[in-house]
Amino acid sequence: MVVPVNTVIETRDLRKTFGPTVALDGLDLTVPEGEVHGFLGPNGAGKSTTIRILLGLTKADSGEARLLGGDPWRDATELHRRVAYVPGDVALWPNLTGGETIDVLARLRGGIDERRRAELIERFELDPTKKARSYSKGNRQKVALVAALASDAPLLILDEPTSGLDPLMERVFQDELRAARERGHSVLLSSHILSEVEHAAERVSIVRAGRIVETGTLTELRHLSRSTVHAVVRTPVGQDISGWPGIEDVVVDEAGTDIRFSVDAEHVGDAVGRLDRLGITNLTCEPASLEDLFLAHYAQAPESVTV
Amino acid sequence: MSELTGTGTLLRLAWRRDRVLIPVALLALTALSVGSAQATLDLYPTEAAAKAGLGSVLANPAVEAMYGPIAAENLGALAVFKTVVMGAVFVALLAYAVVRRHTRVEEEVGRLELVGAGVVGRRAPLTAAMLLAGIAVVAAGLLSALGLIGIGLDAAGSVGFGVAWVIAGIAMVGVTAVAAQLTTSARACAGIALSVLAVMFVLRAVGDTAGGGAQVLSWASPLGWANKVGAYGPNRFWVLGLAVALAAVLVGLAYSLLDRRDVGAGLLPSRPGPASARPSLGTPTGLTWRLTRPSVVGWLAAFVVLGGVLGSLVTSVADMASDPAVVDMLRKLGGSAGSITDIFLATELAFVGVAAAAAGIGIALRVASEERSGRGEEVLATATSRSSWLGAHALIAFALPTVLLLVLALVVGLGAGGQGEVPGVSSILGAAAARIPAVLVLVAVALLASAALPRWAPAIGWGALAVAFALGELGATIGLPDWLVKVSPFAHVPQLPGGEFTWTPVLVTTAVAAAITAAAFAAYRARDVA
Ligand SMILES: Nc1ncnc2c1ncn2[C@@H]1O[C@H](COP(=O)(O)OP(=O)(O)OP(=O)(O)O)[C@@H](O)[C@H]1O
Ligand SMILES: [Mg+2]
């Protein structure tokens, strides 16, 4: 087997077009075993398409995809015993109750842990006797989440699982994600929103227009972004500070004592040292904002992102 | 804000969504009425030829049960004899489809909520749906009337024919409008509305076949009214008044039900159910069975009732056509050595076979509707293989019509078998069984459509049934060439009881059904899940 067993998801140069629409344009994604992996990107970036290929629901035009070491299209049925999936848009059978739906989905996958089921129903405050047609959107989402989390599958694939959950329930969900990671389970968690994956994910991949444009741990990504510094110093400086290493966007007032600039993560210490020599009376250094990095990726063409 | 604010906008939206469905349906309906009339005129150029040729066929109670009594013994009445009531059923189905599509279906998927939040009166969506259906119905009647005048038939009679169709159509608009208010599910709405239509048909058939006091039953059914207009005969236009009055009452009822309920809700509130699933629900077949059980039970009940009705009619058929000359003529025309009773049963079984096929097609099409709703994806993301999911549906879709036909035959046979000229239970069962392969071919077509082209599956599945019925049962009447008629699986069914049974067509039809099913499984494995 080409893929080492400790990689649960691996795609290489995945391509998929729907008529004129290019949904995936050479997507490379790797998720090692035991990792909660955030899968971030704007609307229409190709997250759901990737997930559907990984689940063998859609066939890629070209490229390679491996799921738990198997071929997701050919070995779909076997692989699905070890994968639990929550779709972004949960549709339920209107005349089955929530409890029945949980059991049906879990049994079709191969079984359910009754104790976990009861515990999750309680934690998510779900009424399992209600008919699915009378559930609110958030409650429909909970039904699918309970069915997935109670199944004890070693890989969870979650497509925007918290859409519709209230903040309290979202916190319960985050706890469950951490618990899944502690049990050694792997998770692919797709989302639009950074804060949703920030708590639980150790690594994230950002997808845009069908390609991964950034991937790494949150710390690594933080390094990619820049801090903004605002300092008031005693010794006036000229515009010459733009020659300092790693510095951009310099704004100095007429007196030359009020300085603003942005600096990359490597050169923060150097810049602060130089400011110190000018005699700091006031200093604010805003840490790297991942949010800005993401927004920049969302808004711009894939190649030209600078923050 | 008035209750009806926004009706105009919604009507335009509905028309935009149906701008293919309605014109195609109108075209097909006009082709049916005008085409079959023209074929009759070609066949019998003179009144005398017409009378001589078909006079005795019209005394056949089986034919009367299906098409209603002929209005008069003239060329015009003869030309539209087969399309007055049958066409009225199709017009009623069009009215039903349009009203249901724009009311309960919209409400179930939640789109009506989006609309309802706009500047739209409470009654506007229902009103727009009924208006569009009403316009379609009137257009169907008008086009047919004009077409019939166009081929040279009497103008008053042609208008009478159009009126007959409009009667059935507007009555069904009212029926569907009420059905859409009663339950929260679009499927249940379909069940109620179509059951009412079936009851209308049976009432009319019994009224027209059974003699004496039972004749009044035809007057209890809007499909009976369509026939009572007597196009090209008495031309009783006033019967339209009955239909308008009925529709007004039903629309009023629908409005008052609508005013009493919430958007998305039905009259009956949802009750709590079990907190966990029974063990049988854990397999693809168990789940499919659970989801289709209500419709299976409904079909079974309908077929038991239908069997009872046919069983009670069949014994009196022989008395009604006892004239030896008529019997002799019928035998020659039917190409069958059977008795009047045999011919009656064979004809009824043909129509019952169409209904049984509809039951199976409804199940087969669920593969596509489950997929479009997104639930198919959830199932296929579990350890359920595509073959087992499709197989679960195939199993029930094939079993249901099989069981329905056999149950009906059993009910007829146990009720009337062996009495007088009526054949015994086993030969009635055999006649029904011989029809099963042809029915399964159509179910297999729906299965293939669901597996290969989910978006188009309903159009293909129902279209194939309509075409098979038109070719097989009406094709010869419309004067279509033999090879075209033979495309229909129904054209290959042995005429039983009474006729000759041969294995070849039955085996070939079975093989065709099996081949189409195999193609469905192959197609379903090969494509993306939408
Ligand atoms: N079945 C389909 N037919 C046609 N186009 C499709 C289909 N599925 C996806 N697409 C297109 O492929 C692109 C990627 O869609 P995808 O659903 O993967 O995006 P996404 O990242 O999940 O977006 P969102 O965050 O909105 O869920 C979009 O442009 C979408 O319109
Ligand atoms: Mg998506």
Side-chain angles (χ1 to χ4, degrees):
Chain A
M1 209 173 282
V2 193
V3 184
V5 191
N6 59 358
T7 303
V8 290
I9 291 173
E10 166 117 60
T11 75
R12 236 168 313 124
D13 201 26
L14 215 51
R15 286 170 198 278
K16 178 77 186 178
T17 54
F18 295 103
T21 316
V22 180
L24 297 183
D25 187 18
L27 184 121
D28 301 296
L29 177 69
T30 308
V31 179
E33 190 175 357
E35 177 174 287
V36 176
H37 193 96
F39 193 32
L40 287 154
N43 291 130
K47 303 182 293 295
S48 300
T49 305
T50 308
I51 287 176
R52 293 165 59 77
I53 291 175
L54 288 171
L55 288 167
L57 296 167
T58 300
K59 199 168 173 26
D61 294 340
S62 69
E64 213 196 323
R66 309 289 290 175
L67 182 79
L68 297 167
D71 177 335
W73 179 261
R74 210 193 50 219
D75 313 327
T77 312
E78 272 312 305
L79 291 174
H80 291 173
R81 293 188 204 287
R82 293 183 283 151
V83 180
Y85 167 56
V86 176
D89 215 342
V90 177
L92 305 177
W93 294 280
N95 45 355
L96 297 193
T97 65
E100 286 179 309
T101 311
I102 290 170
D103 287 343
V104 166
L105 290 175
R107 283 179 199 161
L108 289 176
R109 190 177 295 115
I112 191 164
D113 179 341
E114 287 298 336
R115 207 179 40 78
R116 293 262 307 136
R117 178 187 187 273
E119 184 185 304
L120 285 163
I121 284 180
E122 191 180 319
R123 290 210 67 193
F124 278 110
E125 297 174 10
L126 185 72
D127 176 357
T129 65
K130 261 194 175 172
K131 291 274 168 67
R133 74 160 57 86
S134 49
Y135 277 132
S136 65
K137 175 172 166 50
N139 280 320
R140 282 203 299 271
Q141 199 77 30
K142 288 184 202 169
V143 169
L145 278 172
V146 172
L149 291 169
S151 72
D152 216 44
L155 173 61
L156 288 171
I157 296 185
L158 311 175
D159 194 355
E160 293 170 38
T162 55
S163 58
L165 291 192
D166 66 40
L168 219 61
M169 287 303 134
E170 199 167 328
R171 192 180 290 167
V172 173
F173 169 72
Q174 297 288 354
D175 290 348
E176 288 300 331
L177 266 192
R178 269 192 291 272
R181 191 175 59 184
E182 277 156 24
R183 285 197 299 273
H185 294 180
S186 320
V187 182
L188 180 67
L189 173 59
S190 122
S191 176
H192 307 117
I193 309 160
L194 171 66
S195 60
E196 197 172 281
V197 304
E198 214 171 13
H199 301 289
E202 46 241 288
R203 285 206 319 139
V204 302
S205 292
I206 305 177
V207 57
R208 211 199 117 81
R211 287 179 199 210
I212 301 289
V213 290
E214 206 80 75
T215 183
T217 64
L218 289 171
T219 327
E220 280 165 9
L221 291 186
R222 252 182 213 111
H223 268 279
L224 288 175
S225 56
R226 308 171 66 84
S227 303
T228 17
V229 175
H230 178 205
V232 183
V233 292
R234 269 188 295 274
T235 318
V237 295
Q239 292 297 332
D240 60 319
I241 72 160
S242 51
W244 292 4
I247 282 193
E248 270 172 38
D249 314 319
V250 177
V251 182
V252 179
D253 74 345
E254 280 177 17
T257 53
D258 186 302
I259 309 163
R260 289 165 198 273
F261 57 82
S262 73
V263 57
D264 63 38
E266 261 168 70
H267 296 98
V268 176
D270 177 76
V272 172
R274 285 169 191 256
L275 286 172
D276 188 38
R277 269 170 258 141
L278 299 171
I280 299 173
T281 58
N282 192 355
L283 176 71
T284 56
C285 179
E286 276 188 44
S289 158
L290 273 181
E291 205 65 43
D292 290 344
L293 175 73
F294 284 106
L295 290 180
H297 272 306
Y298 280 19
Q300 293 175 29
E303 283 81 15
S304 60
V305 172
T306 52
V307 181
Chain B
M1 183 172 82
S2 142
E3 295 281 18
L4 293 176
T5 308
T7 305
T9 315
L10 290 180
L11 181 60
R12 278 193 295 278
L13 174 67
W15 164 248
R16 166 67 186 75
R17 294 183 55 216
D18 283 353
R19 64 181 177 178
V20 176
L21 174 84
I22 291 179
V24 167
L26 291 181
L27 211 65
L29 286 166
T30 313
L32 177 71
S33 57
V34 180
S36 78
Q38 182 65 56
T40 314
L41 295 187
D42 293 345
L43 208 55
Y44 306 109
T46 63
E47 292 273 345
K51 271 183 194 157
L54 277 180
S56 47
V57 174
L58 301 179
N60 178 356
V63 170
E64 283 209 342
M66 260 26 270
Y67 303 112
I70 193 161
E73 297 221 353
N74 62 39
L75 208 50
L78 199 61
V80 299
F81 167 61
K82 280 202 170 182
T83 49
V84 175
V85 172
M86 273 303 143
V89 170
F90 289 135
V91 172
L93 285 173
L94 173 65
Y96 144 82
V98 170
V99 172
R100 173 173 168 273
R101 240 167 95 70
H102 295 291
T103 53
R104 188 44 83 178
V105 172
E106 287 295 281
E107 208 166 328
E108 190 176 66
V109 299
R111 275 196 294 262
L112 204 57
E113 195 162 311
L114 205 61
V115 168
V119 187
V120 161
R122 197 174 158 74
R123 291 176 170 185
L126 176 61
T127 311
M130 293 190 302
L131 278 176
L132 183 64
I135 291 169
V137 162
V138 171
L142 202 62
L143 287 172
S144 284
L146 291 175
L148 292 172
I149 295 172
I151 61 169
L153 289 177
D154 167 51
S158 302
V159 172
F161 178 88
V163 166
W165 275 14
V166 172
I167 286 173
I170 62 172
M172 197 60 187
V173 168
V175 167
T176 314
V178 173
Q181 312 308 317
L182 292 177
T183 64
T184 52
S185 100
R187 273 191 219 284
C189 161
I192 295 173
L194 294 178
S195 305
V196 173
L197 184 63
V199 169
M200 287 183 198
F201 191 86
V202 170
L203 281 178
R204 187 209 57 73
V206 174
D208 290 342
T209 330
Q215 277 174 355
V216 78
L217 288 179
S218 316
W219 281 104
S221 154
L223 288 175
W225 299 344
N227 193 248
K228 295 290 182 204
V229 171
Y232 301 101
N235 284 330
R236 302 182 194 103
F237 297 130
W238 58 264
V239 180
L240 181 62
L242 288 179
V244 171
L246 175 70
V249 169
L250 289 172
V251 169
L253 180 62
Y255 276 145
S256 77
L257 291 173
L258 177 69
D259 293 344
R260 279 171 181 67
R261 67 177 184 87
D262 301 338
V263 173
L267 272 191
L268 309 165
S270 257
R271 276 168 303 151
S276 57
R278 298 219 311 247
S280 60
L281 254 180
T283 63
T285 312
L287 175 60
T288 312
W289 165 244
R290 165 65 196 272
L291 297 170
T292 53
R293 199 174 53 198
S295 103
V296 168
V297 170
W299 278 107
L300 265 177
F303 267 61
V304 169
V305 171
L306 196 60
V309 171
L310 289 180
S312 65
L313 281 180
V314 73
T315 42
S316 54
V317 162
D319 314 333
M320 295 163 65
S322 50
D323 179 352
V326 172
V327 174
D328 193 45
M329 180 67 89
L330 272 176
R331 287 198 182 129
K332 279 185 193 142
L333 279 168
S336 146
S339 64
I340 286 281
T341 319
D342 288 343
I343 294 169
F344 176 83
L345 277 174
T347 313
E348 300 301 339
L349 279 177
F351 284 93
V352 166
V354 173
I361 290 170
I363 307 278
L365 291 177
R366 290 184 60 104
V367 177
S369 63
E370 286 291 280
E371 178 173 343
R372 272 175 294 151
S373 72
R375 295 184 289 254
E377 167 181 326
E378 281 159 37
V379 169
L380 292 176
T382 69
T384 306
S385 69
R386 295 189 186 199
S387 299
S388 60
W389 184 233
L390 187 66
H393 287 85
L395 180 68
I396 298 176
F398 287 144
L400 177 60
T402 306
V403 170
L404 288 177
L405 278 171
L406 296 178
V407 162
L408 179 118
L410 201 63
V411 173
V412 173
L414 291 180
Q419 295 176 28
E421 279 195 35
V422 183
V425 179
S426 59
S427 82
I428 298 179
L429 272 174
R435 194 158 277 282
I436 290 170
V439 167
L440 297 192
V441 167
L442 289 164
V443 177
V445 167
L447 202 65
L448 177 59
S450 292
L453 297 164
R455 265 185 53 143
W456 298 100
I460 297 173
W462 297 121
L465 179 64
V467 168
F469 171 73
L471 290 181
E473 304 297 335
L474 304 174
T477 321
I478 306 177
L480 294 174
D482 194 48
W483 63 264
L484 190 54
V485 174
K486 284 270 182 342
V487 169
S488 167
F490 293 132
H492 301 274
V493 177
Q495 288 302 309
L496 291 174
E500 198 70 26
F501 177 81
T502 43
W503 276 104
T504 320
V506 172
L507 291 179
V508 169
T509 317
T510 309
V512 169
I516 296 173
T517 308
F521 277 88
Y524 198 49
R525 276 194 297 268
R527 72 166 168 88
D528 289 356
V529 173

